[in-house]
Every structure is written in C-alpha cells, then in structure tokens.
Amino acid sequence: MAVHGARKRLGDLLLAAKLITPEQLEQALGVQKRTGERLGKVLVNMGLVTEDDILKTLEVQLGIPQVSLSDKIDPVLVKSFPESVLRRHKVLPLKREGRRVIVAMSDPLNVVALDDLRLASGLEIEPVLAREEEIEAALEKVFGLSFVEQAFGRAPLREEGEAQPLALVAGEEVTPDEAPVVRLVNTIIAQAVAEKASDIHIEPQEDRVLVRYRVDGLLREAMTLPRQVRASLVARVKVLAAMDIAEKRLPQDGRFQAKYGDQEIDVRVSTVPVVHGEKLALRLLYKTGRLLTVEQLGFSPYNLHRFYEIARATAGMILITGPTGSGKTTTLYALLARLNSPERHIVTIEDPVEYVLRGINQIQINVKAGLTFATGLRSILRQDPDIIMVGEIRDAETAQIAVRAATTGHLVLSSLHTNDAAGALTRLIDMGVEPFLVASSVVGVVSQRLVRLLCPHCREPYWPDRDSPERYFMGLAPDEPVTLYRATGCRHCRQVGYQGRTGIQEVLLVTRAIRELVNGKAPADAIREQALAEGMIPLKEDGLEKVRQGITSLDEVMRVAYSEW
C-alpha cells in the first residue's frame, strides 16, 4: 500500500478530486519551494482546502483507512522508535502485527518518512490516516513528560517537608537541577492552553500527583506525575505567583502572567493544604480571547428581544445571575461592548480585568492596597460616569452603593450569585438594601447557565422510551413523539461528543406588578410566578427548546438545570 501510494502525488490527487485548480496548485508549489513546508500544509494555510479535505481525498483515492487516536496509543511500541524521527515526520506507531507495523500519518505519500521508519525498525510499515494535531497530541502524551520520569522517577522517596524549595526569580538563570520542574510547569500550562482549559487542578495523592483540566465546564484527567515531583512543582508555581514558598500550613492566593504563542494569559493561583501536601488550582484568563457579541451568547430570538428591551435603559440596574462558571462576565462584556460609544463615559471595576476594552476605563481591584469594590465604586461616582460595571456584588456595602448609583441617574451593570432571576431581587433585600430602592433601581435580570454543544459531526438521534426519565423531565406524555440527540464521540471532538458551549437563559423584566411585589417583600416564588405570567420563559424551558433543536443534549440541560425539577 505504501509503495502504491508513493507513486502518486498529493497535488495530482487533489486535482483529480476537483478540490483545487491547476493554477492554484502551481501557486502552492511556488510557496512550497520558498518555505520548504509540505504541500498539504501550504494548501491549508492558503485556505484552498481543509485538512479534512486532504484526508478524505487520500482515503478515497488510495484506499487508506482513516482512524481516530483516542484509545489506540501503545506507549511501549511508540518508545521503541526514535523520538526525533516520530516528531520530525509527525507519525505515530499504533500496532505491531508480526513483521508489520501500522503507523498513523497525516501524509502517507511522504516516502522519506516511510523509509526512515523502515530503517529505524527493520519492519514493514503500513500507513493509516490521522489528523496531524491528534498525532502531535499523542506524541506529547508519550514523550512530553519523559524528562519528569528521568529527573524524578528514580529519585529516592522523601517526605514533602524534606524537599528543597526552589528559589527562582524572573530573569534568574535556571540550573540543570531546576530545569525539569520549570519545563514541567510550562508543559502543564501549555497543554491546558492547547485544550482551551479554563482551570488547572494539581492534586497531590498518596502515591502520585494528579493533574486535571476543566474544559467546557467539566474536569478531565490530563496527566499523572510521580510522587517525588510534589514539593518542587508547588514551589515553582508559588515562586511564579509571588507567594510564600515556606508557608505550607495556610491557604494562599497569587497570580502571574504568561504568554503562549499569541495567547496572553492571566493565571490566578490558589493553594490549600490537604492530607498529602498542597493542592493547587490555577484559573486561566485569556486576555487575548475573542470577545463575543450579544447575538453569539445563545439567546433565543424571544429572549434576545427581551434582553434588548432591558439594554435600552439609560438608568437603573441590570443584573446577570448564575453560579460560578455560568458565563456572567462574558455576558456583561458583550453588553458593555454593545453600549460603548464616544458619547458615553463607561467605567468598570473588576476582579480581575479579563478583557481590555477600547474606549472603556477599567479598574482592577487591589485589596492589599485598600481598593475594594465598595471603595472603588465611591470614587467612580465622582468621575461623572454614564455607565458603571461592577464585576460582582459580593457584600452589603457594594450592594448599597450600586443600588444608590442606579437610582441617581446612572446605568449600573453587575452580577450576582443566585439560582434564578427572581432570586436576585430578594437577594439584594437580604443584603440590607431597602425594598423600595430595589424596586425602583433594578430594570431587568438575566439568569443563565452554560451547556455544551453537541458535536455536529457525530451527534445521533434517538427516541426515548415511554416511561423514560427524559419524558418525565420534559413533561411529555408517554406517546408524544419527540426526537432527541445524544453525544457519541468522533475525531472532530476528541471522542467527547461535544464542541464548545452556549447559554440557556431566562430574562425577567421588572414591571409595575413586580415592583409592587418587591415593595411588599414578597418571596422569590411569588415574584417568579408573576414574571412567568408576564411572559418570562423559564431557564429549563429555554434549555429544552435547544434540546429539541439538536443544539445540546438533554443530559446537559438536566445537569445544569437540576433546580428546575
């Protein structure tokens, strides 16, 4: 098969498949001659074809099957080949069958790679197709942390307290003894960035150190490190975050900045002492991430119209509510970007500043220096603002000042931790704000959650049984027809079944009737019932509509809207 494929050229195959024209091929060959890159990569970079186009063409024209690498990695077999050869040609040995080795390649027409593999192993090579990024990720899993095993794997076991702490500072030259742990921390963060993780959890256990990433809201195991690395790893992160490396008995907080490629990242670090050492939690804030517009937040057309009604207010308070990780800050930024104009003076006070917005004055909280939400908000009011954004209302003092600002002609945007929209109004009263001030200041509340999007390449339809929990949750009759979709997993979504996230929302407009309920200190349930009677679509129903459309799965809505049962 390899010999047959070697007689063909990628350009000819793509021409035969009518994916490119002779003129485009000639142009790409000229670029290839100048840069020395593979033709396939040149064509992808030029935007003429996608990697999937190339793989599909090779699969059809050469009869070489395409595979996913999720569960096919054999570290022992991979390490029997020279790492330099595998990384240079971006190939991955998958399985040995007698005198033959099946190898994943993104370019099976690379005769040099096939020859190098044959010489290195003394075996016949049979190529199969795989995406280049999957191959690189698999090689990183096998070889990426080999330096840790070499540096720590055979070291004598020591108690955590006996380890010598690192004393690295910015600009200081790293010694050979310190280099492995520096490289380890860089690898952990770089891999997290590559997987678009929002958090990194480094968890010491009795016989190992577990590293997990939070991707699309859920944790997944990323790597397992030897026990001996615990002390050095914690010390390295503490040094980066300007924390006390000698203090191991108390929780600490710190932060540092990193840059990987074109990604600028603010890393917030938290440590807590646990049974087997210190646990680290690193929150990754992507400063150069793409800012979403209001239309990209997942609002249904009906909810989007109601949200725009709220956004037309020139004074008062707009609240975004939900638990941690529900996208409240993203929604606030999208709203700010929509309201931003040269005629308006907009000031924000945040902890931390996650995106830098042109034309908006943003203040970073500094508790150690005495700059809190409350003190900063007082100063902002003396700056003649039109719109104020308070990252989060955390205490009674901030709530009082924000509400008074909203009643004196300013538009105040903020977030609260409540389960639903109606609960935000009673929460402010619980924090000590007078009911009449809440009623007269709040113009609208959005409660939201994030659900994962089904992978469009592998989602599959199914029909729930008559007595299934799905029908009960959706409120369907046993015989009512409904088509649902579920995750299966494929190479496009790395076998997860989901790609990206979107929001489900409920939008509460504070009407005259709701103001009267708030003034009378009515409970949240009564306010909610009135809002539903006036047209508010509950969070659960908004999620179920996205389930019916095949946007997300019922499992996702059941996971995030558990309080709606």
Side-chain angles (χ1 to χ4, degrees), residues 57-74:
T57 300
L58 293 173
E59 185 176 22
V60 172
Q61 298 281 351
L62 302 181
I64 299 177
Q66 190 174 166
V67 300
S68 174
L69 304 182
S70 57
D71 299 316
K72 296 182 171 64
I73 302 173
D74 180 354

Side-chain angles (χ1 to χ4, degrees), residues 237-245 252-255 269-271:
V237 175
K238 281 185 173 181
V239 167
L240 289 172
M243 300 158 75
D244 185 356
I245 62 174
Q252 294 188 63
D253 294 295
R255 65 180 56 188
V269 183
S270 172
T271 70

